[in-house]
Amino acid sequence: MELRSMRLFDNQRSAALGKVAPAEDVPVGFMVLATCPLILWLLDGTVAGFASAILIISLFAVGLVCLSVGQKAHIAYDMAEVAARPQIPFKLIGSTIVALVVGLLATTKIMVPAVPLVIALSTFILCLISFGLDPVRDKGMDNPATKLRIINTGIYQEFEDRCDALLQALVPLQDDDLYERTRVFMNTIMGLLGTIDVSTPTLQRIAPSVTKLLDKLQNEVVALADAPGGKVTPFQRRKFLIKIQALVDTFETRARQRGIGQGRDNFELQTDLLFNRMNRYRAA
């Protein structure tokens, strides 16, 4: 318990001071309790005074929760390499609510309107100094290397999704051997693409060729899946496998000629391709 209390008040790790600290350490509960002595100004023995005190406490709690949520979002924003700016400026909203509460409390004892206004403005400025402003721009998208990596990752994910869709189209045929052989071919394609460094323009350069390959594979899968009665004849099955193998082997040959498959994952790729070929020949 003592250790936990020390962590809450450690100014080197306090998220309230803008430090990169675990968001769970933002002491919102203790900050709400800090207003309790001021609430006594409203307790004059009347129902209206009691209701006002409850309202002020609730407003202050809402403001502090907004500050806490905003601080968590800001910490996540700082830790991420690429991040969008928060849609709702919680820290700005929380600072405004806290300043409003302090100004309202000041009006109960100070009759000159300008003084509570100055106190509220000072509180707002202090909150901004303590918690800072919410991020106002997207992070990382102005970096060309980051943009290239994001685009390449999206292209690779699109190809992977298309391969999965092709495999799913074969499921209604209920042919486990055909499905497994096709899966081996898909693994060969994605294995070669997986060796490409996403920080280089290589994937974008070969994307049109890969798209054409997947289009041809999709046409073959659709033609096979549209077999009358959902029954594939041995001739159709053999013709499909020969075409798929020819397309994938041609792609692999051309990919290696372009230097694909020689990256940091080359050993894993060669191992996977070896097992894929073993499975292919065993099935044949």
Side-chain angles (χ1 to χ4, degrees), residues 23 53 97 114 172 176 195 242-243:
I97 294 176
D176 293 338
T195 64
I242 291 174
K243 283 187 175 182

Side-chain angles (χ1 to χ4, degrees), residues 88-152:
I88 302 176
F90 280 107
K91 291 204 287 187
L92 184 62
I93 294 173
S95 299
T96 303
I97 294 176
V98 171
L100 176 63
V101 169
V102 173
L104 290 175
L105 288 172
T107 58
T108 61
K109 293 297 181 181
I110 303 174
M111 298 297 105
V112 181
V115 177
L117 181 61
V118 171
I119 293 175
L121 182 60
S122 301
T123 302
F124 179 74
I125 295 175
L126 288 174
C127 285
L128 292 183
I129 294 174
S130 299
F131 291 92
L133 286 171
D134 301 273
V136 295
R137 59 174 59 89
D138 296 335
K139 176 183 177 183
M141 293 305 297
D142 55 345
N143 187 337
T146 302
K147 292 178 64 174
L148 181 62
R149 186 163 58 251
I150 293 174
I151 293 174
N152 285 336

Side-chain angles (χ1 to χ4, degrees), residues 34-206:
T35 64
C36 288
L38 299 178
I39 302 302
L40 295 176
W41 290 353
L42 301 173
L43 297 178
D44 54 4
T46 63
V47 176
F50 180 77
S52 299
I54 296 298
L55 177 62
I56 290 296
I57 291 176
S58 301
L59 278 176
F60 194 73
V62 170
L64 294 179
V65 168
C66 287
L67 287 172
S68 179
V69 171
Q71 188 69 14
K72 292 179 182 180
H74 201 155
I75 291 175
Y77 176 90
D78 287 339
M79 295 178 63
E81 182 181 7
V82 179
R85 67 182 185 276
Q87 296 296 322
I88 302 176
F90 280 107
K91 291 204 287 187
L92 184 62
I93 294 173
S95 299
T96 303
I97 294 176
V98 171
L100 176 63
V101 169
V102 173
L104 290 175
L105 288 172
T107 58
T108 61
K109 293 297 181 181
I110 303 174
M111 298 297 105
V112 181
V115 177
L117 181 61
V118 171
I119 293 175
L121 182 60
S122 301
T123 302
F124 179 74
I125 295 175
L126 288 174
C127 285
L128 292 183
I129 294 174
S130 299
F131 291 92
L133 286 171
D134 301 273
V136 295
R137 59 174 59 89
D138 296 335
K139 176 183 177 183
M141 293 305 297
D142 55 345
N143 187 337
T146 302
K147 292 178 64 174
L148 181 62
R149 186 163 58 251
I150 293 174
I151 293 174
N152 285 336
T153 301
I155 293 175
Y156 181 87
Q157 185 62 49
E158 180 183 355
F159 289 153
E160 188 174 33
D161 292 341
R162 290 197 62 180
C163 289
D164 291 339
L166 291 178
L167 292 175
Q168 290 301 316
L170 294 176
V171 172
L173 298 179
Q174 298 181 350
D175 190 329
D176 293 338
D177 182 66
L178 180 65
Y179 179 91
E180 185 61 25
R181 291 195 186 193
T182 308
R183 186 186 65 82
V184 169
F185 293 136
M186 297 299 105
N187 288 346
T188 300
I189 296 173
M190 297 311 301
L192 287 167
L193 296 179
T195 64
I196 300 176
D197 188 353
V198 294
S199 62
T200 65
T202 303
L203 188 58
Q204 294 184 50
R205 188 178 70 247
I206 69 168

Side-chain angles (χ1 to χ4, degrees), residues 189 208-218 247-248 251:
I189 296 173
S209 300
V210 179
T211 301
K212 291 180 181 178
L213 170 65
L214 293 178
D215 289 340
K216 292 179 180 179
L217 294 177
Q218 184 176 8
L247 289 171
V248 174
F251 170 76

Side-chain angles (χ1 to χ4, degrees), residues 4 7 13-15 19-26 71-72 75:
R4 175 64 179 174
R7 290 174 62 190
R13 304 178 65 250
S14 174
K19 306 295 182 181
V20 179
E24 291 79 10
D25 284 353
V26 180
Q71 188 69 14
K72 292 179 182 180
I75 291 175

Side-chain angles (χ1 to χ4, degrees), residues 213-247:
L213 170 65
L214 293 178
D215 289 340
K216 292 179 180 179
L217 294 177
Q218 184 176 8
N219 292 335
E220 296 298 330
V221 170
V222 170
L224 190 68
D226 290 341
K231 299 296 183 179
V232 180
T233 64
F235 174 76
Q236 290 175 317
R237 189 174 184 277
R238 185 166 58 254
K239 179 181 177 182
F240 171 79
L241 291 174
I242 291 174
K243 283 187 175 182
I244 295 295
Q245 181 172 344
L247 289 171

